[in-house]
Amino acid sequence: MPETFDLGAEGLDRLYEGVRDLVAAGHGSGAAAEEAGTRGEGEAADGQIRAVVEAGGRLASLRADPRVMRLSREELCAQIVLAVNAALDDLRDRVARAGGEVDHEALLARLRELQSDSVRQMESFAQSIGEIVGRIESRTER
């Protein structure tokens, strides 16, 4: 059942907090990984090229055995790409294991509920304002 919010400042504050919590949940695993200093490692060219990436997708280090200089320029670049992508995959897996995957469908469903609640609240608010205006108009007509 969707959470309902009282009309007024407190209800709007609770609505805002609900949206803020949803956004935080969507970014939580990345922030937790950065705080924990999580890194991903990958290699290519039979271990001759090693890449390390940090949370946030930044390349921390790239090491190559001197023997890789025998590769053509194109093959060397391709192997570097493989090593970096493997490191990024490793980082993604580590973050998923540490903080769990974010269930984007559940987040979207909850956001839709919050949106629906806010629309109902605004309709109620508009109706209340209309009633107040009607009462004021009827008093001034007398």
Side-chain angles (χ1 to χ4, degrees):
M1 176 176 220
E3 182 176 356
T4 58
F5 299 93
D6 296 328
L7 185 61
E10 289 179 22
L12 292 175
D13 283 344
R14 288 182 57 213
L15 178 63
Y16 168 75
E17 288 172 11
V19 171
R20 187 188 62 213
D21 291 345
L22 284 172
V23 171
H27 291 91
S29 60
E34 287 183 31
E35 289 175 15
T38 302
R39 293 177 159 218
E41 298 179 12
E43 59 181 50
D46 297 321
Q48 295 178 34
I49 299 175
R50 295 188 48 80
V52 177
V53 294
E54 298 174 335
R58 298 188 57 91
L59 182 63
S61 69
L62 180 65
R63 294 199 167 101
D65 186 291
R67 293 176 289 174
V68 298
M69 300 313 281
R70 297 180 192 146
L71 298 174
S72 70
R73 183 175 46 146
E74 292 81 15
E75 184 61 23
L76 177 60
C77 290
Q79 292 300 313
I80 290 171
V81 168
L82 289 173
V84 171
N85 284 338
L88 289 169
D89 290 343
D90 182 48
L91 174 63
R92 189 177 311 111
D93 291 344
R94 289 176 189 240
V95 169
R97 285 192 306 266
E101 287 288 330
V102 174
D103 185 350
H104 294 285
E105 291 301 319
L107 288 175
L108 285 173
R110 181 69 177 121
L111 190 55
R112 285 185 192 107
E113 288 175 9
L114 288 170
Q115 180 184 17
S116 176
D117 289 345
S118 67
V119 168
R120 279 195 303 274
Q121 290 173 12
M122 293 309 287
E123 288 171 350
S124 175
F125 181 72
Q127 181 180 357
S128 296
I129 294 294
E131 291 172 3
I132 291 170
V133 168
R135 282 189 234 148
I136 292 172
E137 287 175 346
S138 69
R139 287 184 183 167
T140 56
E141 291 174 356
R142 291 182 192 172

